[in-house]
Amino acid sequence: MSTPQIVAIDGPAASGKGTLARRLAAALDLPYLDTGLLYRATGRLVLDAGGNPADPAQAEAAARRLKPENLDRADLRGPEADMAASQVASIPAVRAALLDFQRGFGAAHGAVLDGRDIGTVIFPAAPAKLFVTASLDERARRRFLEVTSKGLDETLEDVRREMAERDEADRNRAAAPLRPADDAVVLDTTTLDPDAAFCRAMEIVRERLA
Ligand code: CDP
């Protein structure tokens, strides 16, 4: 059996990895999975039940009862969902509960997946791995434009602080911390617009998948 074409896109919040991953998937005709949604939806299920996303038993139970339709909810973005996602994501049992779904998604036909640990844990043998990054100021600016365009009332300073806290938690947790895989190509998008980032990423991915 040939190795499935897996493109692993990891990186910190608002680095441009989601936009990039979606465009790569369309160009390569591969299915796309935003794995952050799994953690966001798990956090939401805990909040819906009036629980605490930092509680390992409650978070694991929510991850185990997650259904595909939970990923379509409209309330998976914004400060509360961001924080709940980051809290459940630091719990090893939650990550274990979501592992099979992610591996199964890419196993049959290949896929582009974006997240924090795709190249390090979910698909360590993926032929193409990108670690997409950008400066904190630029990422905060992008996320600020995104949240204000949705009418959320947050200042740039709030967005920057919350993002820095979440990055710090994602990088320093014991379970699947955010870091580039040894064989990932680092793509810094601080001064790249979405088209330039896409062109550069396509070059790298084409070379790796060839
Ligand atoms: O869009 P943004 O980059 O802000 O976030 P996301 O990719 O939707 O991820 C939300 C949170 O889920 C992150 O802060 C991580 O804590 C967690 N996450 C993770 O641990 N592993 C993944 N593969 C994806 C997300």
Side-chain angles (χ1 to χ4, degrees):
M1 207 182 82
S2 64
T3 324
Q5 293 206 312
I6 299 290
V7 180
I9 314 277
D10 291 306
S15 54
K17 63 189 187 307
T19 308
L20 186 60
R22 198 169 284 109
R23 285 183 69 175
L24 287 172
L28 298 165
D29 200 20
L30 290 171
Y32 165 59
L33 181 63
D34 170 357
T35 65
L37 288 180
L38 301 172
Y39 298 91
R40 290 174 178 279
T42 299
R44 259 295 162 221
L45 287 182
V46 178
L47 293 173
D48 284 352
N52 174 9
D55 180 276
Q58 292 176 23
E60 182 186 356
R64 294 204 178 279
R65 63 172 195 277
L66 201 66
K67 297 195 182 58
E69 58 267 30
N70 298 138
L71 307 184
D72 295 332
R73 293 175 59 148
D75 56 0
L76 298 182
R77 306 238 161 235
E80 192 188 31
D82 291 349
M83 196 43 74
S86 183
Q87 286 175 318
V88 301
S90 72
I91 299 168
V94 167
R95 307 198 73 86
L98 300 175
L99 190 73
D100 286 352
F101 176 78
Q102 294 174 81
R103 289 203 175 138
F105 187 89
H109 308 292
V112 179
L113 300 95
D114 83 63
R116 301 290 187 288
D117 63 341
I118 308 305
T120 51
V121 175
I122 307 296
F123 286 107
K129 298 181 186 177
L130 283 173
F131 190 85
V132 184
T133 179
S135 70
L136 177 62
D137 282 344
E138 175 58 16
R139 293 186 293 113
R141 191 189 68 82
R142 291 176 191 168
R143 185 54 48 92
F144 176 69
L145 291 177
E146 199 181 313
V147 297
T148 49
S149 75
K150 287 183 188 154
L152 291 177
D153 183 22
E154 274 215 278
T155 65
L156 177 60
E157 204 28 62
D158 288 340
V159 171
R160 193 180 188 284
R161 193 190 55 253
E162 284 160 12
M163 187 175 277
E165 278 171 18
R166 193 150 59 90
D167 283 351
E168 177 83 358
D170 288 347
R171 285 197 183 99
N172 293 317
R173 67 187 178 207
L178 171 67
R179 65 167 184 85
D182 293 340
D183 54 348
V185 177
V186 176
L187 180 61
D188 187 332
T189 69
T190 307
T191 59
L192 298 181
D193 67 17
D195 284 346
F198 172 69
C199 288
R200 180 70 194 112
M202 265 315 265
E203 283 171 12
I204 297 164
V205 170
R206 282 227 166 90
E207 201 174 289
R208 292 288 185 103
L209 293 181

